[in-house]
Structure formats: structure tokens, C-alpha cells
Amino acid sequence: MNDWQEITGGVTAPRGYRAAGITAGLKPSGLPDLALIVSDVEAIAAGVFTTCQVKAACVDYCRQRLQAKHSARAILCNAGQANAATGNEGWLDALECAMLLGQELNMPSESILLASTGVIGQRIKMEPLRSGIGKLVAALSETGSDAAAGAIITTDLVTKSIALETSIGDRPVRIGGIAKGSGMIHPNMATMLAFVTCDAAVAPTLWQQMLSRAADRSFNSITVDGDTSTNDSLIALANGQSRTPAITEMGAEAEKLEAMLTAVCQHLAKAIARDGEGATCLIEVQVSGATDEQAANQIAKTIASSSLVKSAIFGRDPNWGRIAAAAGRAGIPFEQENLQIKLGDFLMMENGQPLAFDRNAASAYLKEAAANASKPQDMMATNMSNDLSGDRSTIKAQSLDNPVIIAVSVGNGHGSGKAWGCDLSYDYVKINAEYTT
């Protein structure tokens, strides 16, 4: 049993946080495009960012800020323009964003972190942003998480949000999160943004370590299309407003907090994978019997990212050979005679030998998984200028709780791991073929 419960509120569920999301005019569609999260007090800050060598100005900015000091009070995010590969002009735009918000909030710009999402190579539209900062601050609310979640998305069909609560020292401690992401998703961070708030007090180095491990077990274990991007950012704040004793080293309380942080990140990561561009179902790859966790995760991520596996799932084809081939090319040694493969409840390979199974029933399992995880395909975004239209209802709980399960065992080792992905459909090609046209 998990030692926490799900609650409402997203990033404003923890004590001492407000959030807002508005339409500033950055997106041609006129949809919300500017979001803000603010802590009432200075909070310990940690971040994990893209590994891409071509980085957005906001990524360089955040890295510099977090190297200089391990705290922040606000996160500002614009949607519509990535402000990546925009040279010195883009860097100056980022600095101005922090300066303008700092003036409006009456806080140092050094206490503000930035994120951007949108088309690479496009600078932020500064005139509407300048005009929108005051309106954004005025909209801050202790119930503003949903508005913020709606203002950070681009080709997403749905918003992604979660909040959990546990007890530490007989006092409630909460962690909330929102995220965006739908395409260019692959391990080692991807085209995704995630913002996490916490009201516990945690030592800076420990908070960063917790976040990095949580990222490895969540956002670095999802894939949609094998591409990473320029803007990927996971930022987490811990402001101590729960009034619980400070957690300064690993122990029972730290382990409980990290487990809840990981659960928040995994929920958001799975929601991103489920909302993959053109996807019809979520896929969960479970690997066991490896020498260690790292080896198991490598095999799981290789299977989840295989275009052939993803295409077979979309075609409702129980083609276990593609799963076997992907496991075999993951770069992790194992004996072929130890390989076992299951699709749902269907055992397809045992001891490296193929088994007879009901192909029609296995195909029906895939069809049922897609039907249960249906999402509003009529809202499918076809290009960046249109963004999204219609209802942004939350993903059905069943679409995250009942994914297509691929279970692979490679031996008798103690290492196990998981990765999440989605199927590869015709719509994925259409969306990305027309992305900027």
C-alpha cells in the first residue's frame, strides 16, 4: 500500500503556493499561453534539464540561476515560442522576462525561474508578454493550478496534473505537479515541461538528488517518438510551509518523501506518454531478471521506443518477435534461452522458445486496451498555429491505470525496471508533417 493519498489542487495543493494561467496573445489561436507559479516564501529549488546540445535560453538561464543559488520563488512559463536557437536576442528576451516579473512581484529576478515551449527558432513575442505580466500576477490564486496547467500546453490534447498527501511527523505534507508534453518525447528528457511544488523543508543537495532519481524513474523512462528537444525542464520547489522538521539526510522520512515525489513524476510521465501525438493507448514495458535496475531499464526503454513494436500495437498485431528483437538489441547481455515474453496475460515465449497462443484473443486484448483508453481524437492538433480547440478534459483514470502490458524476463537476476510509451499511428505522421505549415 502507498503511504499517501491523492488529493485535488495540483501545484497549489501544497501550502504556500499560488498559480495562474492567462491568454497573453503569444499563440495565434488565442488560447491560454502564459503561466505562473509562485511560492509565498523563498523555496529550495532543484531542476533537471534537456541533454540536447542545442538549448533554449530558458534552460541556460535556469541552469545559471540554480548554480548561483539553490532557491527560487517563482516559475514563469510561456507557450507558443520555444525561444531556442535564437542567439543573444533570445537570451536578452529571457532576462527581460525575469526582470519584468520580478518588478511586478516585488522580488529579485534571481528568484525567478523560466520555461518556454513552442516552435524552435522563434523568439518570445515580447510585446504581448510585457502587456500580460500584470494581468498574470493579478490572476494568481490558491486554486490556480488548472489554469496554469492549461496555459503551458501546445499539441497536448489534455492537461496533466496530480497532487498527493502524506504525513511526516504527524503533520500533512503535500506534493503537486503539472506537466505538458505530447511529441518529441524520449528518455534523457524530452519535449516536456514539468513543475512540482512541495511544502516540506528539504536540504538543497538532498532535494536535487531526490528529483534526479525521480526523473530517472519517470520522465527519463518514457518515449513517444525517439526525439528529444531543446527546452525540456523539470523544476521542483520545496518551501517548508508544512512546518515539519527539515529533512537533511536520507532516512525513513526522506525515503517517504522521495517515494511520493517519484509517484507524482511517474503519474505525469505516464500522462505524457498516453497523450503522445496520435497515440491510441499507453504501453507499459516491465522487465525483470536483469543483473541490475539500470540494465532492466535499458531493455525496457529500448522496447518501448521501438517503432516496430509501437506500430504493431497500433495495428493490434501481437507480433512478439519485434519485442524479442528490441530486447536483444538493447546492448544488455543475456542468454537467449532465458527469454520470456508476455503480452497482457498471453505467454508467447518461454525459455527462449515460441509458444502457441490465441492470436485472435491477444489482438482483442490490444483492441480493448485502446478502446478503454480512448481520448478525443477529434481534437487532434495538426499544426502549431492552430494549437488546440475544444474540451481539454483530464485523461480518464483508466487510460493510465490499464495500459497495454508487455512483460519481459531475461534471466534470474534481481534487476527490474519499467518504461512507458505509446503506439505509433498514422496521425503522428500527419501532425508532425504539418507542424509549422
Side-chain angles (χ1 to χ4, degrees):
M1 294 290 292
N2 294 328
D3 195 16
W4 56 77
Q5 61 181 346
E6 185 171 347
I7 58 174
T8 60
V11 291
T12 52
R15 291 169 177 79
Y17 292 96
R18 294 170 294 154
I22 66 165
T23 299
L26 303 175
K27 291 180 180 177
S29 62
L31 292 169
D33 49 26
L34 195 60
L36 177 62
I37 301 169
V38 175
S39 171
D40 292 342
V41 298
E42 196 79 1
I44 298 303
V48 179
F49 302 96
T50 182
T51 58
C52 184
Q53 293 301 302
V54 179
K55 298 179 289 293
C58 59
V59 170
D60 288 331
Y61 172 89
C62 286
R63 280 177 166 158
Q64 287 190 19
R65 288 288 181 262
L66 292 175
Q67 286 173 358
K69 70 171 189 173
H70 304 296
S71 65
R73 278 196 61 192
I75 303 170
L76 175 68
C77 179
N78 73 279
Q81 299 85 44
N83 199 25
T86 51
N88 189 59
E89 291 82 1
W91 173 251
L92 294 176
D93 290 341
L95 294 179
E96 184 179 354
C97 289
M99 180 194 70
L100 291 170
L101 181 59
Q103 291 173 348
E104 194 68 30
L105 289 171
N106 193 28
M107 69 174 63
S109 60
E110 291 78 12
S111 292
I112 295 166
L113 299 174
L114 303 175
S116 300
T117 184
V119 178
I120 296 170
Q122 292 187 4
R123 291 171 59 188
I124 300 170
K125 294 180 180 179
M126 292 303 295
E127 282 304 318
L129 185 138
R130 294 183 188 108
S131 301
I133 288 293
K135 179 182 176 183
L136 182 65
V137 172
L140 281 169
S141 166
E142 293 180 353
T143 59
S145 181
D146 287 347
I152 66 175
I153 60 177
T154 51
T155 59
D156 307 56
L157 295 184
V158 291
T159 57
K160 291 105 179 156
S161 178
I162 183 70
L164 301 177
E165 180 182 270
T166 191
S167 293
I168 293 179
D170 296 326
R171 294 185 63 87
V173 171
R174 298 172 178 175
I175 299 179
I178 60 174
K180 67 84 56 180
S182 188
M184 292 184 78
I185 303 294
H186 194 58
N188 296 323
M189 300 290 283
T191 302
M192 52 142 287
L193 302 176
F195 309 124
V196 175
T197 58
C198 175
D199 54 17
V202 190
T205 300
L206 184 60
W207 187 234
Q208 179 63 60
Q209 292 170 347
M210 287 181 175
L211 187 67
S212 296
R213 288 191 291 263
D216 282 341
R217 292 168 179 158
S218 58
F219 299 111
N220 284 342
S221 293
I222 59 172
T223 182
V224 169
D225 47 23
D227 272 294
T228 58
S229 184
T230 56
N231 290 57
D232 317 323
S233 301
L234 165 61
I235 299 172
L237 304 179
N239 67 5
Q241 292 302 287
S242 64
R243 305 302 182 188
T244 51
I247 299 174
T248 59
E249 59 185 13
M250 288 306 297
E253 292 181 347
E255 290 173 0
K256 179 188 289 190
L257 188 68
E258 182 174 339
M260 190 165 72
L261 174 64
T262 301
V264 166
C265 291
Q266 286 184 343
H267 176 94
L268 296 174
K270 288 191 285 185
I272 289 173
R274 172 63 192 94
D275 196 27
E277 291 171 341
T280 68
C281 62
L282 177 68
I283 301 170
E284 180 174 301
V285 181
Q286 306 170 350
V287 174
S288 61
T291 54
D292 54 35
E293 180 180 333
Q294 182 177 1
N297 285 334
Q298 181 62 34
I299 296 171
K301 287 187 278 190
T302 303
I303 295 170
S305 63
S306 166
S307 294
L308 290 178
V309 171
K310 292 154 64 69
S311 297
I313 299 299
F314 174 68
R316 319 309 176 210
D317 178 13
N319 188 344
W320 61 264
R322 293 179 173 180
I323 300 170
R329 66 174 173 82
I332 302 299
F334 63 86
E335 297 298 328
Q336 181 171 321
E337 57 266 26
N338 292 329
L339 184 61
Q340 179 192 85
I341 297 174
K342 291 181 67 177
L343 178 65
D345 293 330
F346 297 91
L347 183 61
M348 300 174 165
M349 171 176 266
E350 182 80 80
N351 298 322
Q353 297 294 318
L355 301 178
F357 64 95
D358 188 334
R359 296 188 64 85
N360 290 333
S363 181
Y365 163 71
L366 297 175
K367 293 176 183 177
E368 182 179 0
N372 288 339
S374 61
K375 64 180 182 177
Q377 294 297 328
D378 58 317
M379 294 192 296
M380 189 63 67
T382 56
N383 57 54
M384 189 62 192
S385 63
N386 287 335
D387 293 304
L388 298 170
S389 62
D391 175 32
R392 292 194 187 91
S393 56
T394 303
I395 298 175
K396 296 178 182 179
Q398 61 194 24
S399 56
L400 299 185
D401 294 339
N402 297 303
V404 169
I405 299 294
I406 297 173
V408 175
S409 177
V410 296
N412 299 314
H414 298 294
S416 62
K418 292 181 180 179
W420 296 274
C422 61
D423 57 347
L424 185 60
S425 73
Y426 311 130
D427 282 320
Y428 176 83
V429 176
K430 179 177 175 59
I431 293 166
N432 287 282
E434 302 173 355
Y435 190 69
T436 63
T437 57

